[in-house]
Amino acid sequence: MKFPDLRLGLCREIDITLFFPDEKGDNGSDTYTLARTICSACTVRIQCLEWAVRHEDHGMWGGTSPVERRKIRRERKIKLQEVLPREYV
């Protein structure tokens, strides 16, 4: 799966660190709550989420936390795949 075209992603207009807070806060943190709100209005949220379910174990992607994506992977029987740097371009 190729990295999604996120040029229209709302995250590109905001400090990216908002989407990668201290993982200890995870689902309940105020930072994730704000990031989730931004993601919910994003036009590329679904593409972002599908990529992240398969490839990302950190940060907020497609409006989901790492814990939420692990649950999705279990439910869909998807194994986290390694990402090569060239796949991000």
Side-chain angles (χ1 to χ4, degrees):
M1 177 176 213
K2 188 175 176 177
F3 189 71
D5 182 355
L6 300 179
R7 286 179 286 185
L8 297 177
L10 294 178
C11 58
R12 294 185 50 99
E13 300 173 20
I14 298 165
D15 181 2
I16 197 70
T17 59
L18 174 71
F19 298 90
F20 294 92
D22 177 6
E23 296 296 332
K24 288 179 248 170
D26 209 42
N27 292 325
S29 76
D30 290 339
T31 304
Y32 268 159
T33 299
L34 178 56
R36 192 180 315 282
T37 300
I38 293 165
C39 290
S40 70
C42 185
T43 60
V44 294
R45 185 184 70 80
I46 299 299
Q47 297 95 317
C48 180
L49 173 59
E50 288 305 318
W51 168 267
V53 165
R54 289 169 177 74
H55 303 285
E56 300 294 344
D57 202 28
H58 302 286
M60 174 68 64
W61 289 80
T64 62
S65 71
V67 171
E68 292 165 328
R69 289 193 304 279
R70 282 185 217 116
K71 181 179 177 193
I72 292 168
R73 280 194 286 276
R74 278 192 307 271
E75 290 170 356
R76 294 186 190 177
K77 296 179 173 64
I78 294 173
K79 184 177 177 183
L80 190 65
Q81 300 169 9
E82 181 180 353
V83 180
L84 300 174
R86 70 173 180 260
E87 293 181 75
Y88 281 100
V89 289

